[in-house]
Amino acid sequence: FLLYFYSMLNRLIICVCFLFCYDCGYAQIQIHINGKELNYAEAGIQYAFMEGSDFSDTALLKISPAAWESLSSKKMALGFNTKSIWLKIPVASVAAAGKFDILEIKNPHINFLRVWINGEEGIKKSFPLTGDHLPFAQKTLTERNFSFPVSSADYRGDTVLIAAEKRNVTFHLEMEFADQINHAQSLQLSIVWWGMRSEEHTSELQ
């Protein structure tokens, strides 16, 4: 019994260490265009950390220009943050690397999330508030991840604004700007992956 207990304890420690290292290493921002990671230093992306959970249009317009900072690297830790993060992504910077039709945020466990398109004269498009703490029906597109119809052809001179909240836990924020073909392939891979995970879970219960 003692040998069995010692063996199980070692396995548990290894699993915990692996999960801890994995979360710490990947608690960051990643932005891709059709599978290729952006050059953050050249993309002109800005971020801000804000108190509160107000993701209204009014809250967006009240953010001081001084609150925004340039994102020069994805190595910005997001783990165990007590504030929401806001991002400003120039469409032209992303479109320079390829055309896209969809913005997919590849973390289905974000508590609250909102996306806007901002033009020279203010808010051009405002998507409804969504998130893991809200009904699935409130998603803009009925997919596992949070996806939004954002086209480089329609919004080339504009800015994508994203507000996300997942506090006091390790938080990985990965975004993919994709054309229809790449997005469809991503969905297929996701379905296959989660199907395999479901089969593994079912076999473990048998």
Side-chain angles (χ1 to χ4, degrees):
F1 174 78
L2 288 176
L3 287 175
Y4 174 78
F5 177 78
Y6 180 74
S7 175
M8 293 301 295
L9 181 61
N10 278 342
R11 290 184 183 183
L12 179 61
I13 291 172
I14 291 171
C15 289
V16 170
C17 289
F18 173 79
L19 290 172
F20 179 78
C21 292
Y22 178 87
D23 283 346
C24 289
Y26 285 84
Q28 58 190 7
I29 291 175
Q30 287 185 311
I31 305 173
H32 294 83
I33 167 69
N34 293 319
K36 181 180 178 181
E37 193 163 12
L38 286 182
N39 184 325
Y40 302 102
E42 299 177 357
I45 300 168
Q46 294 180 298
Y47 71 93
F49 288 108
M50 306 298 295
E51 298 281 0
S53 305
D54 186 359
F55 288 177
S56 65
D57 293 356
T58 302
L60 169 62
L61 297 174
K62 284 183 178 180
I63 298 178
S64 168
W68 297 99
E69 299 182 46
S70 295
L71 179 69
S72 57
S73 169
K74 67 180 182 181
K75 300 295 184 182
M76 182 178 64
L78 297 176
F80 301 96
N81 201 336
T82 59
K83 299 179 180 180
S84 58
I85 183 168
W86 296 62
L87 293 170
K88 291 172 67 174
I89 306 174
V91 172
S93 296
V94 183
K99 75 177 187 71
F100 58 87
D101 305 293
I102 301 289
L103 164 60
E104 179 183 1
I105 299 177
K106 297 186 173 184
N107 185 340
H109 305 298
I110 297 173
N111 294 346
F112 298 102
L113 176 71
R114 193 154 189 206
V115 173
W116 299 263
I117 306 295
N118 213 37
E120 292 183 359
E121 299 181 359
I123 297 172
K124 181 177 287 188
K125 173 71 176 179
S126 179
F127 293 99
L129 179 68
T130 186
D132 193 38
H133 283 194
L134 297 172
F136 185 85
Q138 286 190 218
K139 286 190 172 183
T140 302
L141 299 178
T142 54
E143 300 174 2
R144 181 177 182 273
N145 292 326
F146 300 103
S147 297
F148 305 87
V150 178
S151 169
S152 54
D154 294 336
Y155 302 114
R156 179 119 194 161
D158 302 321
T159 301
V160 176
L161 291 113
I162 301 169
E165 179 196 294
K166 188 170 179 64
R167 303 185 183 194
N168 301 314
V169 294
T170 300
F171 180 22
H172 179 47
L173 187 56
E174 180 182 357
M175 288 155 279
E176 179 84 32
F177 290 89
D179 57 28
Q180 295 287 356
I181 293 175
N182 280 281
H183 184 63
Q185 291 174 345
S186 176
L187 287 178
Q188 290 174 350
L189 288 173
S190 178
I191 291 170
V192 170
W193 166 251
W194 286 104
M196 293 172 60
R197 291 291 300 273
S198 177
E199 288 180 3
E200 290 176 2
H201 181 66
T202 301
S203 63
E204 290 173 356
L205 294 176
Q206 292 175 347

